[in-house]
Amino acid sequence: MGKRPKHYLQVADLSREELLALLDRALELKKMQKSKVEYMPARGKVLGMLFEKASTRTRISFEAAMYQLGGSVSFMARRDLQLERGEPLKDTARVLSRYLDCLVVRTFGQHIVEELARWSDIPVINGLTDSHHPCQILSDVMTVMEVKGKDLSGLKVAWIGDGNNMAQSWIQAASRIGFPLYLACPAGYRPDENILERAREEATFPIEVVEDPMEAVRDADVINTDVWASMGQEDEAMERKKVFAPYQVNRELLRHAKRDCIVLHCLPAHREEEITEEVLEGEHSVVWDQAENKMHIHKAVLEWALGIRD
Ligand code: CP
Ligand code: NVA
């Protein structure tokens, strides 16, 4: 049997050193791109992208990253594959492994990426599941580092809203990388207790879940939010709008944070729901750099997964 491929299915799959190395490398790759350095170590490699949910940023930034590194991309919507007609994941994984060098997957259950990884001879990267969004979190942390410096240990990071896939990836990042994280979530919408407990076991800083958004943002350096109804929860959207109304990131809430706080949102944003237009487009918002950084971090992730760093 050959060497096992390097999968990245959740933040906790990587060590602190590996995560910091990816972040450092993405900052370097961004500089290289801005200086127009030609760097194409992925020549001859093919990235597969198997998506079961919509995507603007993750899809296009992975595609651009792979093309800029000199490789090619094959995009697959699930409905076009035999998977849709009942072909098992384990067969799909073994066949795709014969054609491709790496596979990015966006899907529903975490068990789907785990099953694909189990049967793949190529690296499988989670491009979002219902439980985790581990690549997104890297671009978010990278954006914080650009503004606040690389040492995050002295920062207070707040998460406002749903205890969803993004919140859970932030929890694992806080634990692995090492920074304090305060989440404000309504009762019934807290993150998974197992993920929380496991993260706390190894955390060197507090990871707290409270109900009051003001408590979470008090003196915060970084404020994050996300949609109230994630993909797959469309039926709950009306109910969620009511429950989450007190969790809007707006000017009033920001008054409780540090004056130089930054606001992140992985996008897409629903203006006047989880965030106001004023804050999204305001001086604290770093969301456009955050979106750009997805491409740079994806290059670092591809280099790592493919083992192609020059
Ligand atoms: N942030 C993010 O993952 O965006 P997309 O859904 O557009 O990929
Ligand atoms: N929590 C959101 C993130 C979108 C990038 C969702 O899963 O739809």
Side-chain angles (χ1 to χ4, degrees):
M1 239 186 64
K3 228 172 99 198
R4 289 303 300 155
K6 299 182 196 166
H7 304 301
Y8 182 43
L9 308 184
Q10 52 182 302
V11 175
D13 287 344
L14 300 190
S15 67
R16 178 169 197 270
E17 290 64 38
E18 283 173 310
L19 292 168
L20 292 177
L22 285 176
L23 289 158
D24 257 342
R25 183 60 178 159
L27 290 163
E28 207 172 301
L29 286 162
K30 182 171 182 175
K31 276 200 200 122
M32 282 162 61
Q33 196 223 6
K34 302 286 173 201
S35 327
K36 308 219 178 319
V37 174
E38 189 172 292
Y39 177 62
M40 303 182 111
R43 268 198 211 96
K45 305 276 185 196
V46 184
L47 171 67
M49 306 213 0
L50 170 48
F51 277 42
E52 287 199 71
K53 288 177 175 171
S55 172
T56 297
R57 281 146 288 268
T58 306
R59 174 178 175 176
I60 309 305
S61 61
F62 256 115
E63 289 184 353
M66 190 62 179
Y67 286 128
Q68 287 183 19
L69 291 174
S72 320
V73 181
S74 174
F75 182 82
M76 298 160 272
R78 182 193 163 109
R79 63 177 171 275
D80 299 331
L81 300 183
Q82 296 290 5
L83 256 179
E84 191 67 9
R85 299 171 69 242
E87 186 168 21
L89 286 165
K90 62 182 180 182
D91 295 4
T92 306
R94 283 176 289 182
V95 171
L96 292 181
S97 294
R98 303 285 175 113
Y99 308 140
L100 303 169
D101 298 285
C102 183
L103 183 65
V104 177
V105 182
R106 171 167 284 202
T107 186
F108 293 89
Q110 186 71 10
H111 65 277
I112 298 174
V113 287
E114 282 166 6
E115 174 81 351
L116 285 166
R118 186 169 160 229
W119 291 95
S120 276
D121 294 325
I122 55 171
V124 175
I125 311 289
N126 181 352
L128 182 147
T129 59
D130 294 341
S131 309
H132 298 278
H133 200 358
C135 293
Q136 177 69 49
I137 219 67
L138 292 177
S139 50
D140 301 357
V141 173
M142 175 184 172
T143 310
V144 175
M145 286 179 161
E146 283 182 326
V147 185
K148 301 283 182 191
K150 285 191 191 171
D151 180 9
L152 305 188
S153 63
L155 300 179
K156 178 178 176 182
V157 178
W159 172 269
I160 309 299
D162 194 14
N164 62 12
N165 44 9
M166 282 299 307
Q168 293 179 167
S169 288
W170 269 105
I171 289 169
Q172 292 192 337
S175 164
R176 272 288 142 96
I177 296 172
F179 54 84
L181 177 66
Y182 292 79
L183 303 102
C185 308
Y189 296 88
R190 290 167 56 95
D192 181 271
E193 286 302 326
N194 288 329
I195 291 178
L196 200 53
E197 277 320 302
R198 221 169 268 174
R200 279 179 178 146
E201 278 163 19
E202 65 169 75
T204 41
F205 292 91
I207 302 176
E208 299 294 339
V209 185
V210 296
E211 266 190 54
D212 181 1
M214 272 184 298
E215 192 182 334
V217 300
R218 190 165 302 126
D219 296 323
D221 300 277
V222 179
I223 300 174
N224 289 280
T225 190
D226 186 14
V227 293
W228 290 339
S230 286
M231 288 180 279
Q233 297 172 336
E234 289 76 11
D235 294 352
E236 300 171 31
M238 290 302 282
E239 173 63 17
R240 284 170 170 265
K241 263 192 200 178
K242 284 186 227 146
V243 176
F244 285 98
Y247 291 80
Q248 185 184 67
V249 175
N250 53 32
R251 192 203 326 196
E252 173 57 27
L253 189 66
L254 254 55
R255 280 185 39 235
H256 301 274
K258 292 223 179 97
R259 286 170 75 99
D260 62 350
C261 71
I262 55 172
V263 174
L264 289 97
H265 190 313
C266 65
L267 304 176
H270 291 84
R271 288 163 167 84
E272 311 313 324
E273 290 186 20
E274 75 274 3
I275 191 164
T276 57
E277 166 90 8
E278 183 184 33
V279 170
L280 187 75
E281 302 287 1
E283 55 178 339
H284 298 282
S285 168
V286 292
V287 301
W288 312 117
D289 289 333
Q290 183 187 357
E292 174 185 334
N293 286 340
K294 284 173 72 74
M295 183 179 74
H296 305 297
I297 201 77
H298 291 162
K299 281 190 189 170
V301 169
L302 288 168
E303 260 190 351
W304 166 84
L306 294 165
I308 51 166
R309 187 162 167 185
D310 274 1

